[in-house]
Amino acid sequence: MSEASTIGVCLKRLRHERALTQEQLAELAGVSVDLIGKLEQGRRSSARVTSLMKLANALDIDLSALVGRRDRIGADHDGGSILAVRDALLSPSLVPGLLGLDPDDAGEPTPLPELQAAVSAAWARYWQGEFGPLAAAIPGLIGEARMTHRTLGSAAAAALAQSYQLAACLLVHLGKTDLAAIGAERAITAAAEGDDEWQWATVVSTLAWVLMMQARLRESEDLAVRIAEQIEPSFSAPPAHFAAWGNLLISAIDTAAAASREVADYVSMASAGAERVGSRVDAYQTTFSPSKVTQNAAHAYVALGEPGRALKVSAKVDSHDLQRIAYGHHLLDLAQAYTDVRRRAAAVAKLQEARAMAPVWFRHQTFARSLVEEIREVETRPSPAIRSLARSVGLA
């Protein structure tokens, strides 16, 4: 089965299994009958993530089961293997009493400063969109972090938590959300063994993201809001604490928008926190800034069908305040907004900019794939730029 046909074939099969007509499924999911028809007939091979989430929920399946994404690291793998990442997360040595089964048990543990530097370097690759080298590095990194954690205990808890969290984040991009959930849970357990509540809360925000990508929208939003309320910092708290709190609110913004719910209160609270810190804060392998809040507000407005509002607030986003793939996501949001207001040339330019910024990351984005197909569908004769973008995301 070609990747381009996966969604339509799965959708039709699942709909038939549930004895639903296209009209009935459209009503249950809150999407158009036309979209379902085009997907099932192969005239569309993807759709907006929010639409796919609605279809998955209506069919009572995990989003990844509908999308059917496979890892496409391909020629960029640099020796990386998703199976190796899986094996690192599901190592038998994690079972009580089976410690000796871990092949990394022998030898001396990596000194903590060296481990912390290695973790930070791996996260830098993630934010640059270098998924191939990252997939190759993560299994060994997790093994080293576990060994150092066994030796040093809570002092190495943050490094171990960030290693698991990194695996979870990569696996989300590769469509392996069940494995990503395991990685996030491992990270939360490791962080809880340390003495930094803000590190723990940062990992919880990753779990909220994973839940969102599984289309478990209410669970995701409730988790993010509950933990944000639990750790809300005082006015005099250090910037890193505002970053951990603010990123939970950003998770709530994204999830509420995906569920077509109001985001104004979350945006207001996150903006207040960002104004408190003033400029970009780098903490716990992520960032927080006024631009990051505005970027996610723009994303929410796109998801809520308000492209004009999204384009207006985007003028306040400073690309220097965002990591590379975070800004790449913003470019995709701009491309969608321009598409929605029928400025296709501007949309194509933003897609090309996002691809040039991080090519491997770009071709793993369902959002990019959907956008390219949406534009290609309305062009009487697809332009060379669209044909090139289609090849980049596996549509050609």
Side-chain angles (χ1 to χ4, degrees):
M1 183 186 299
S2 69
E3 187 172 355
S5 69
T6 299
I7 293 177
V9 171
C10 287
L11 181 62
K12 188 173 184 178
R13 174 178 57 81
L14 290 163
R15 180 174 62 78
H16 284 170
E17 287 176 357
R18 287 154 179 76
L20 294 170
T21 65
Q22 290 184 349
E23 291 76 10
Q24 288 170 329
L25 177 57
E27 184 176 355
L28 283 172
V31 302
S32 70
V33 177
D34 182 62
L35 173 63
I36 294 173
K38 286 180 177 178
L39 287 170
E40 291 189 356
Q41 294 162 22
R43 289 186 288 147
R44 288 286 302 273
S45 63
S46 189
R48 297 189 185 189
V49 173
T50 48
S51 296
L52 295 175
M53 286 180 175
K54 291 175 181 177
L55 285 168
N57 278 332
L59 292 166
D60 194 27
I61 59 168
D62 187 271
L63 178 62
S64 61
L66 177 60
V67 176
R69 282 199 292 174
R70 300 167 293 175
D71 75 276
R72 298 194 301 276
I73 290 179
D76 303 299
H77 60 74
D78 286 348
S81 164
I82 300 307
L83 292 180
V85 177
R86 178 203 66 185
D87 293 345
L89 290 177
L90 302 177
S91 171
S93 69
L94 297 174
V95 178
L98 299 183
L99 182 64
L101 291 181
D102 195 331
D104 295 320
D105 277 347
E108 293 297 319
T110 303
L112 185 57
E114 293 181 21
L115 176 62
Q116 291 169 331
V119 170
S120 294
W123 271 98
R125 280 186 157 172
Y126 170 78
W127 290 116
Q128 292 295 312
E130 298 174 5
F131 289 172
L134 188 59
I138 282 177
L141 185 65
I142 289 175
E144 286 187 62
R146 280 208 296 254
M147 191 171 184
T148 300
H149 178 254
R150 289 188 201 116
T151 303
L152 299 181
S154 62
L160 179 59
Q162 290 172 7
S163 300
Y164 280 132
Q165 181 188 12
L166 181 59
C169 290
L170 175 64
L171 288 163
V172 167
H173 286 283
L174 301 181
K176 312 297 184 183
T177 55
D178 286 344
L179 279 177
I182 292 171
E185 290 170 2
R186 296 250 194 272
I188 290 170
T189 299
E193 294 181 17
D195 57 2
D196 191 339
E197 181 183 22
W198 310 95
Q199 170 67 73
W200 172 82
T202 300
V203 181
V204 170
S205 67
T206 293
L207 177 58
W209 179 43
V210 174
L211 292 173
M212 182 185 74
M213 296 309 295
Q214 291 180 321
R216 297 163 66 181
L217 302 181
R218 177 56 72 183
E219 290 174 83
S220 173
E221 184 180 349
D222 288 350
L223 175 66
V225 171
R226 178 163 53 84
I227 302 305
E229 291 174 346
Q230 179 178 319
I231 68 162
E232 184 172 359
S234 65
F235 183 81
S236 60
H241 293 186
F242 277 96
W245 174 74
N247 281 318
L248 283 163
L249 292 174
I250 283 174
S251 292
I253 291 171
D254 291 348
T255 307
S260 300
R261 290 195 289 271
E262 180 56 57
V263 300
D265 288 346
Y266 297 146
V267 171
S268 178
M269 287 189 290
S271 296
E275 289 174 9
R276 172 67 184 85
V277 300
S279 57
R280 169 171 161 168
V281 176
D282 293 88
Y284 305 113
Q285 307 300 343
T286 188
T287 65
F288 183 64
S289 68
S291 284
K292 187 170 183 180
V293 176
T294 303
Q295 170 216 346
N296 282 272
H299 172 77
Y301 299 144
V302 168
L304 292 169
E306 302 180 47
R309 192 176 182 187
L311 291 170
K312 182 178 180 179
V313 301
S314 292
K316 300 177 182 178
V317 174
D318 184 344
S319 63
H320 297 97
D321 281 346
L322 302 175
Q323 295 113 321
R324 177 171 293 187
I325 64 173
Y327 187 60
H329 278 293
H330 182 58
L331 291 172
L332 295 185
D333 286 324
L334 290 177
Q336 183 67 73
Y338 281 128
T339 300
D340 291 345
V341 297
R342 301 185 180 181
R343 294 176 59 184
R344 288 196 295 274
V348 170
K350 293 302 179 185
L351 285 165
Q352 290 175 313
E353 186 179 350
R355 179 180 61 178
M357 182 176 296
V360 176
W361 163 83
F362 182 83
R363 62 190 175 90
H364 286 273
Q365 303 309 302
T366 301
F367 191 10
R369 182 189 181 93
S370 171
L371 269 168
V372 171
E373 188 165 29
E374 186 174 343
I375 295 171
R376 187 175 69 170
E377 189 177 58
V378 298
E379 288 191 350
T380 305
R381 181 176 295 177
S383 65
I386 279 296
R387 291 199 299 269
S388 174
L389 287 165
R391 287 192 295 271
S392 297
V393 294
L395 286 172

